Amino acid sequence: MIMLKLKNLFKQDEHKVDLENLPQHIGIIMDGNGRWAKKRGLPRSGGHAAGAKTFEKIIEDAGDIGIKVVTVYAFSTENWSRPKDEVDALMSLLEDYLDNGLERIAGRDVKIHFIGDSAAFSDKFQKKLAHMEKATRDNGGLLLNVALNYGGRAELTNAVKQIAEEVKNGEINPDEITEDTISKHLYTSGQPDPDLIIRPSGEFRLSNFLMWQGAYSELWFSDCLWPDFSKKELLEAISDYQKRNRRFGGV
Ligand code: IPE
Ligand code: IPE
Ligand code: MG
């Protein structure tokens, strides 16, 4: 009897979501690890370790729900300004994911794509990024963009540089540059823009995340700190998104 009740409760959560009207692309700013750790008297690195577990769980949940593209903000161009021991802790968690993540997502139809300026990383690290992308490139289920050393402004600056080179080489005329030209020079080229951007931790800002792509994204904020974020919050965000009236400047 109790089992049945629990089952129904879970189903109710799922039922709040209309599977016919899912956001195609969800962006997630995985924020609040430091405060989560502080509340427990742990070092900030403990919060990042807990946050890394949440990341893996939420990716599974997003795939199960049927989301096609997820972009997670893992490390920003501004996060280098943190104390060295914290940056080192984050890098070793990332390295652990690069070394063992494939085993952990085995059997899951996830294609991994890293977005951001990877040139900042060591050759060894860059090889691991490339290996993970290559090993998952034929998976057609969930496309997972992991934003590493990512900044929306840096991404646009990079796009402008590439387009300027093409103009210089006579490959394109300045008059021919359109919004589409710019989109095609971003790390997310060819992907749909995020329909929904989720930011937990009680902050109401984008912190340089998907500045171009998020022009018409629906935003969802929550006080929940990232390590505590679960499928329940994900479903709540999707369900809330489904009640929005997206007008894109129309009526
Ligand atoms: C997000 O959590 C993780 C990264 C930025 C890498 P924070 O470390 O920003 O956690 P708070 O915001 O300090 O709580
Ligand atoms: C955004 O969080 C970056 C990531 C989650 C990777 P931050 O904690 O760096 O953002 P601010 O400093 O609160 O704006
Ligand atoms: Mg933060």
Side-chain angles (χ1 to χ4, degrees):
M1 184 63 184
I2 289 174
M3 278 303 283
L4 201 70
K5 270 196 181 156
L6 277 176
K7 254 190 180 167
N8 284 339
L9 204 69
F10 182 71
K11 267 196 191 152
Q12 261 170 19
D13 254 357
E14 296 266 2
H15 282 172
K16 277 199 286 187
V17 160
D18 172 4
L19 295 176
E20 301 298 310
N21 178 30
L22 290 173
Q24 269 201 87
H25 181 174
I26 300 182
I28 306 178
I29 301 173
M30 306 189 290
D31 193 25
N33 296 348
R35 281 163 282 172
W36 183 92
K38 195 171 175 202
K39 264 174 54 183
R40 285 161 180 77
L42 294 169
R44 292 180 60 87
S45 57
H48 295 313
K53 289 207 175 96
T54 301
F55 152 71
E56 294 197 35
K57 177 75 183 53
I58 288 296
I59 295 315
E60 274 188 25
D61 293 337
D64 291 343
I65 294 166
I67 305 301
K68 288 284 160 236
V69 187
V70 173
T71 301
V72 290
Y73 206 3
F75 193 85
S76 77
T77 46
E78 287 75 35
N79 287 149
W80 296 108
S81 68
R82 295 188 177 201
K84 186 179 178 300
D85 62 337
E86 181 171 351
V87 172
D88 288 348
L90 281 163
M91 291 303 146
S92 67
L93 280 166
L94 285 168
E95 201 144 11
D96 171 64
Y97 187 65
L98 293 173
D99 291 338
N100 306 304
L102 281 176
E103 228 170 87
R104 300 205 287 265
I105 61 164
R108 296 236 153 222
D109 201 12
V110 179
K111 175 176 174 164
I112 299 179
H113 177 54
F114 293 100
I115 65 171
D117 182 10
S118 56
F121 300 112
S122 69
D123 285 351
K124 194 175 128 209
F125 196 93
Q126 286 185 51
K127 280 200 183 102
K128 291 182 184 189
L129 296 175
H131 174 70
M132 192 167 235
E133 286 187 336
K134 199 171 161 213
T136 59
R137 75 177 165 203
D138 295 326
N139 295 343
L142 173 77
L143 168 59
L144 171 63
N145 296 309
V146 181
L148 275 190
N149 191 26
Y150 174 88
R153 289 182 172 182
E155 180 180 40
L156 275 166
T157 307
N158 182 52
V160 169
K161 276 189 192 158
Q162 285 179 23
I163 297 168
E165 268 306 310
E166 290 168 24
V167 169
K168 194 173 95 185
N169 298 337
E171 292 160 32
I172 182 171
N173 244 313
D175 294 345
E176 291 162 6
I177 299 172
T178 61
E179 292 187 6
D180 201 39
T181 316
I182 295 171
S183 293
K184 281 188 177 131
H185 286 81
L186 301 179
Y187 301 121
T188 50
S189 173
Q191 300 181 18
D193 285 335
D195 301 294
L196 169 65
I197 293 180
I198 294 175
R199 180 166 196 158
S201 92
E203 310 295 354
F204 299 96
R205 54 176 173 266
L206 289 175
S207 303
N208 207 4
F209 186 53
L210 302 177
M211 299 306 291
W212 174 276
Q213 301 90 330
Y216 273 102
S217 300
E218 294 297 325
L219 308 179
W220 192 82
F221 299 102
S222 147
D223 283 340
C224 173
L225 300 170
W226 176 249
D228 292 329
F229 197 91
S230 67
K231 190 172 185 179
K232 181 176 160 279
E233 280 75 26
L234 182 61
L235 288 168
E236 251 174 60
I238 296 172
S239 153
D240 200 35
Y241 160 86
Q242 293 179 330
K243 294 184 196 119
R244 310 273 180 97
N245 179 5
R246 304 184 76 192
R247 286 186 292 278
F248 299 98
V251 286

